[in-house]
């Protein structure tokens, strides 16, 4: 993703979790707000809570530098609460 690229916009429905592979990303409370709420770097994730709760996004995230993110959509995160044997760990 190029520097300045929009990853997600505040107010949208959260349907994807993001994990930073490289670069830095800035979270802002509003797309026009100049203040950075949080800088997100390699190995850190964002938009997880909203995804699990099917909530609206509470921030806008843009690439502060050139970077890459891994994505995981809601369908990929749906896992049974217990394994077939009821242990939850597949034993």
């Amino acid at each position: 993703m190029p520097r300045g690229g929009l990853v997600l916009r505040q107010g949208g429905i959260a349907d994807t979790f993001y994990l930073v592979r490289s670069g830095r990303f800035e979270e802002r409370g509003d797309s026009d707000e100049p203040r950075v709420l949080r800088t997100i770097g390699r190995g850190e994730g964002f938009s997880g809570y909203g995804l699990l709760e099917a909530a609206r996004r509470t921030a806008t995230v843009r690439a502060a530098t050139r970077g890459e993110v891994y994505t995981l959509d809601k369908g990929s995160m749906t896992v049974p609460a217990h394994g077939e044997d009821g242990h939850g760990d597949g034993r």
Side-chain angles (χ1 to χ4, degrees), residues 5-34:
L6 179 66
V7 180
L8 58 90
R9 186 176 303 279
Q10 181 181 14
I13 299 295
D15 59 359
T16 305
F17 171 74
Y18 299 85
L19 179 65
V20 177
R21 178 174 184 223
S22 65
R24 286 181 323 181
F25 295 81
E26 293 178 340
E27 181 180 81
R28 298 172 185 266
D30 184 290
S31 59
D32 297 324
E33 184 178 325

Side-chain angles (χ1 to χ4, degrees), residues 52-83:
L52 293 174
E53 296 297 322
R56 294 210 174 263
R57 293 195 167 110
T58 59
T60 294
V61 177
R62 288 188 178 273
T65 65
R66 180 177 167 84
E68 293 181 281
V69 293
Y70 295 111
T71 59
L72 185 62
D73 65 22
K74 186 169 181 78
S76 300
M77 291 184 71
T78 305
V79 179
H82 299 287

Side-chain angles (χ1 to χ4, degrees), residues 26-50:
E26 293 178 340
E27 181 180 81
R28 298 172 185 266
D30 184 290
S31 59
D32 297 324
E33 184 178 325
R35 187 172 60 94
V36 174
L37 300 175
R38 175 170 83 124
T39 299
I40 308 157
R42 184 174 180 226
E44 296 179 293
F46 54 95
S47 194
Y49 178 77

